[in-house]
Amino acid sequence: MPYDFDTVIDRRHTNSAKWDVKPGELPMWIADMDFQTAPEITAALKQRAAFGIFGYEEIPTEYYEAVADWWATEHHFRPQIDWLMFCTGVVPAISSIVRKMTAPGDNILVQAPVYNMFYHSIENNGRHTLSSDLVERDGQYTIDFDDLAQKMAEPLTTMMILCNPQNPIGIVWSRADLQRIGELALKHHVLVLADEIHCDLTLNDHDYTPFSSLSADVAANSISCISPSKTFNVAALHAATLIMPAQAIRERVSRAINNDELAEPNSFAIPGSLAAYRDGHAWVAELRTKIAANQRQLQTFVADNLPAVKVIEAQATYLIWLDISQVAADASDLADFIRAKTGLFLSAGDVYRGDGQHFLRINIACPTAELTDGLQRLQAGIEAYMTQN
Ligand SMILES: Cc1ncc(COP(=O)(O)O)c(C=O)c1O
């Protein structure tokens, strides 16, 4: 069935965090898509609403079976049912796990530039961020494994938060890289927390490797976070799943998730997730095609019209990392200028740290008409900035 990814829907005045903007502005920042979710999910939610009773709920086994079946079909790996634990969001789970599995003052390792909420979960809980920054050369980012090993070996480093696929750059880490990270973590007694929320949105046949599918010893030292929220644009359903192959970790994390009251679903989380994981395969396949087409449109537009900007090719996600180092010294300054001049609202890369001050992040999960508008505003903003400076 052909799904609709091209109707422009007015999201203003709908309590949308993304669209809480001034008249005429075009938000292409937060990771939220301007597409309606799969109709299969909407139908399930309508059915649940029609039932009309919204009392306390439990997680049925069929939820975990649907998660495991989705992974088996989409990612060729079926996690065991007893490894899985429902929770009400990935970021709340990360904060809760940080509090339970590390001590105040510990180092938590990340690979900047990376999703900014990791820093909040670490630092708002009194831990230190230690980054083994990714290294960029000619538009390709790689891991400096010597640096990573050195930082893992520091006695106060007790956890690493890994982002795979990586936000904001869109890297899909290879099985070999992940296994190497996992072995280093084991050697240095560092627990790996793998945020895999973007794993369903791989592009152009790039293959995502679930961390829990690595060798048994490496997998046993990990917690992975997955969710239908990015894949199906259902962030406000507040449904996520933790994958934990080791029983000892499961027991401790269960205490954390329950103590922090993150274990109970709202009335729409389970029916929405079941519909997504059981009936959403065709919709996601079309979504991936649409995002890949949008990425090509952006690449062509920038190559033709904005020679000072370099597009980093995303292997996954609908977030594109734009190198603006030849345009501005400070991404925030440029983002503010573009917004004031054209109304286009992008994410300035500095919040992701690392080399982020040289980058803007643009969200391209939108209908073609909106993307075309956004690209024209980007061109107008950058040309005006270059003329002024
Ligand atoms: C890497 C990553 N993790 C987590 C989240 C948010 O997860 P949740 O809404 O389940 O807290 C996002 C949202 O953009 C993200 O990019």
Side-chain angles (χ1 to χ4, degrees):
M1 162 178 168
Y3 294 102
D4 179 6
F5 295 104
D6 268 316
T7 301
V8 176
I9 295 163
D10 184 3
R11 297 181 66 194
R12 290 170 193 278
H13 314 298
T14 61
N15 300 331
S16 158
K18 181 179 185 180
W19 281 88
D20 182 12
V21 290
K22 294 188 219 109
E25 286 194 328
L26 178 60
M28 298 179 85
W29 63 293
I30 198 170
D32 168 324
M33 304 193 276
D34 287 334
F35 304 128
Q36 285 187 326
T37 192
E40 293 82 356
I41 296 180
T42 308
L45 298 181
K46 281 186 181 159
Q47 201 185 351
R48 179 66 187 85
F51 181 63
I53 300 178
F54 306 102
Y56 296 115
E57 294 190 18
E58 296 175 335
I59 315 297
T61 307
E62 61 176 351
Y63 169 82
Y64 293 119
E65 275 161 3
V67 173
D69 288 347
W70 174 270
W71 253 256
T73 310
E74 294 285 329
H75 307 303
H76 319 294
F77 173 71
R78 194 172 202 285
Q80 288 181 29
I81 299 296
D82 62 335
W83 295 0
L84 306 177
M85 187 180 297
F86 174 86
C87 63
T88 54
V90 169
V91 171
I94 292 174
S95 292
S96 182
I97 291 166
V98 161
R99 285 191 293 273
K100 186 71 179 179
M101 306 301 274
T102 70
D106 281 5
N107 291 331
I108 299 189
L109 194 54
V110 297
Q111 296 169 296
V114 77
Y115 180 47
N116 52 321
M117 292 302 287
F118 290 176
Y119 305 120
H120 295 223
S121 295
I122 295 168
E123 292 159 19
N124 292 344
N125 286 302
R127 278 68 173 167
H128 293 297
T129 303
L130 188 62
S131 176
S132 178
D133 288 2
L134 297 174
V135 181
E136 192 251 352
R137 196 164 301 119
D138 300 329
Q140 298 273 355
Y141 280 85
T142 51
I143 298 169
D144 176 345
F145 273 100
D146 291 337
D147 182 68
L148 187 75
Q150 212 180 323
K151 287 177 172 151
M152 280 207 187
E154 288 194 20
L156 284 180
T157 306
T158 51
M159 180 184 281
M160 171 170 181
I161 308 182
L162 176 79
C163 198
N164 182 39
Q166 207 270 4
N167 170 11
I169 306 169
I171 307 164
V172 181
W173 295 115
S174 69
R175 180 173 285 275
D177 277 348
L178 293 170
Q179 181 68 27
R180 198 165 163 197
I181 292 172
E183 285 171 11
L184 280 173
L186 258 186
K187 179 172 168 200
H188 297 294
H189 310 288
V190 172
L191 177 66
V192 178
L193 181 50
D195 180 340
E196 301 182 346
I197 199 167
H198 293 279
C199 68
D200 299 313
L201 299 180
T202 49
L203 307 172
N204 307 321
D205 297 327
H206 285 284
D207 230 7
Y208 140 80
T209 304
F211 203 88
S212 51
S213 73
L214 298 173
S215 65
D217 52 348
V218 162
N221 181 45
S222 74
I223 301 168
S224 305
C225 308
I226 56 177
S227 168
S229 69
K230 297 292 141 194
T231 314
F232 291 96
N233 209 27
V234 290
L237 274 190
H238 293 291
T241 305
L242 303 176
I243 308 179
M244 296 173 287
Q247 191 186 347
I249 291 178
R250 286 200 296 275
E251 303 283 343
R252 293 188 66 200
V253 170
S254 171
R255 290 305 346 126
I257 298 298
N258 280 282
N259 279 345
D260 290 340
E261 309 300 346
L262 305 176
E264 286 175 22
N266 67 69
S267 298
F268 296 95
I270 301 302
S273 301
L274 282 176
Y277 288 142
R278 286 174 175 167
D279 304 323
H281 296 277
W283 188 86
V284 173
E286 284 191 30
L287 171 67
R288 282 191 287 255
T289 305
K290 175 69 184 171
I291 296 170
N294 281 7
Q295 178 167 233
R296 279 195 301 278
Q297 183 183 340
L298 176 140
Q299 282 165 332
T300 308
F301 183 91
V302 171
D304 290 349
N305 301 290
L306 288 168
V309 176
K310 272 195 287 170
V311 179
I312 307 295
E313 175 147 353
Q315 301 169 338
T317 83
Y318 47 77
L319 307 165
I320 306 286
W321 196 228
L322 300 175
D323 180 340
I324 49 84
S325 54
Q326 288 178 43
V327 179
D330 173 11
S332 281
D333 188 45
L334 179 61
D336 290 347
F337 180 90
I338 293 173
R339 186 171 182 185
K341 188 85 188 163
T342 72
L344 177 64
F345 182 3
L346 303 175
S347 303
D350 23 339
V351 297
Y352 309 100
R353 302 191 189 172
D355 64 357
Q357 79 272 22
H358 302 305
F359 291 83
L360 295 175
R361 191 190 78 169
I362 183 168
N363 174 347
I364 58 162
C366 60
T368 303
E370 213 176 285
L371 179 61
T372 304
D373 181 8
L375 293 174
Q376 282 160 357
R377 293 181 196 226
L378 181 69
Q379 181 181 4
I382 288 193
E383 285 177 354
Y385 189 91
M386 292 180 84
T387 313
Q388 270 198 11
N389 288 278

